[in-house]
Every structure is written in C-alpha cells, then in structure tokens.
Amino acid sequence: MTRPDPSAHRGAPLPSALGAWRRRPQPPLRPVTSAPAGPRSAAAASLPTVEEVSAGGVIVREHDGGLEVAVIARYNRGGRLEWCLPKGHPEGEEDHRQAAVREVEEETGIAGHILEPLGAIDYWFTVARHRVHKTVHHFLLRATGGELTTENDPDHEAVDVAWVRLEDVARRLSFANERRIVDLARQVVDQHFPPGGARGPRP
C-alpha cells in the first residue's frame, strides 16, 4: 500500500517519461508534464530526502455499451475525501508490473492483467523530518474478474471504490497528474477495446 499517502504531497508533480513498450509501433504519446516543483522553503531543502516508488493504474472493463474505470476514495491527512487511481508500493521482489496488478486488486477488489504502460508521474511532499520524492508507475489494465470492495486493502486506506465511465473519470479524480494519466489511457484504449460489439451505442 502507499506509505505515506501521496494525497499529502505539497508540491506539483514533476515531468516524467512515458513507458516505451508497445504491442505494435505507434506515434509516441504526449508525456505527462507540469511545472517542476521542489521544496517550498529553505527549511524543507535542508531535510533529508527519501526516494519512494509505487505502481498502479487504470483498470478498465466493458459494461453497458461503454468502458468503465475502477477508482478509489481515501481520506488525506487533513481529513478530506479524495478520489484517485489505485496504487501502492512493490513488495519483496515484485517489479512495477506485478505490484500494479496486486495493488489494483487489493484496493478495488478487481483482478486484471496489464495491457501496456501509461507512464510515470513524480512529485515531492514533506512528512515528519524528511522530504519524499515519489515516483508512481501507471499501467493500463483489463479487468478479468472480481467484485468492487475495499475489504482486501490490508492497510484500510481505501474507504470507497466505484466504477466510473471512462469519459467521466477525469472529473472524478482529485489530482491533475492522475487526470493526465487517464487522458493518456483514452488515447490508446481503442487498440485494446475496439469500438463496436460490447461498446456499441447505449440505448
């Protein structure tokens, strides 16, 4: 699980590069970008820095003629409810892909497999007596089973979970950097979920 909660960060996300792997050659996607943000004060700059890595992503299912994404809600340190993409730290010898699959299932109850990487975002925040530079690797996943639940979250950080229509996810998410990840997912999703069939027009 994510420790500490990335919702507590006090800086804007830094630029990051997209994953290079693709099923077939295609033009590169636009990278997730924003203005660089470092420590906000000289006092913060003097604190030791801890590097953290997490993985998660955009898990998609076909439903009712369209596509839906599972998102979670958690409370930040100020007690505000925030909606975000599921993610967490790798455990043991897990690589980013394995961690993303496990964390998505733990936090949402939905099993899935990775279709392709969407890129990484990174940002700074300060906790206790150190600064954290966190990088989160995101993947596009296809849902393969399960039911929405937060009961499998071992740290009980997720307090709610919901399926949201792909076209509405950006409005639900609390963080601009995750909204950009969803925008990237929308650019490639038709390669994995071709329009028509289950995605035909809704009645």
Side-chain angles (χ1 to χ4, degrees):
M1 304 301 301
T2 306
R3 305 182 190 87
D5 188 340
S7 63
H9 73 272
R10 296 184 174 89
L14 299 176
S16 60
L18 288 172
W21 180 87
R22 292 289 183 269
R23 285 182 176 269
R24 53 185 173 276
Q26 60 181 15
L29 300 177
R30 292 181 297 109
V32 180
T33 58
S34 61
R40 300 181 69 176
S41 67
S46 67
L47 294 173
T49 297
V50 174
E51 297 287 339
E52 287 193 0
V53 175
S54 287
V58 180
I59 186 161
V60 178
R61 73 168 181 176
E62 294 175 309
H63 181 71
D64 194 19
L67 298 179
E68 295 182 330
V69 176
V71 295
I72 65 168
R74 62 180 64 185
Y75 287 102
N76 69 10
R77 293 168 186 237
R80 184 164 66 96
L81 188 70
E82 296 172 328
W83 286 91
C84 54
L85 297 173
K87 57 190 167 294
H89 291 176
E91 295 181 356
E93 299 300 316
E94 285 182 331
D95 61 23
H96 298 153
R97 298 166 70 91
Q98 293 167 329
V101 170
R102 177 185 52 76
E103 286 288 343
V104 166
E105 186 169 5
E106 285 184 354
E107 293 194 334
T108 68
I110 304 301
H113 70 262
I114 289 176
L115 298 172
E116 64 175 283
L118 293 173
I121 56 177
D122 64 325
Y123 50 86
W124 295 83
F125 58 96
T126 303
V127 293
R129 300 176 181 175
H130 62 271
R131 290 183 300 144
V132 177
H133 179 216
K134 184 159 191 170
T135 303
V136 185
H137 299 270
H138 290 275
F139 298 86
L140 178 66
L141 299 91
R142 181 190 295 271
T144 59
E147 298 290 338
L148 288 182
T149 180
T150 61
E151 294 303 312
N152 300 327
D153 180 358
D155 291 337
H156 305 290
E157 293 179 351
V159 297
D160 199 3
V161 60
W163 286 113
V164 180
R165 299 281 292 187
L166 178 60
E167 59 269 27
D168 298 328
V169 173
R171 290 190 290 273
R172 177 71 68 93
L173 294 174
S174 299
F175 300 108
N177 52 18
E178 293 192 348
R179 292 193 289 269
R180 286 190 286 271
I181 289 291
V182 170
D183 287 342
L184 293 174
R186 295 184 67 180
Q187 293 181 38
V188 300
V189 72
D190 283 350
Q191 299 173 26
H192 307 285
F193 298 87
R199 290 186 61 191
R202 298 182 73 187

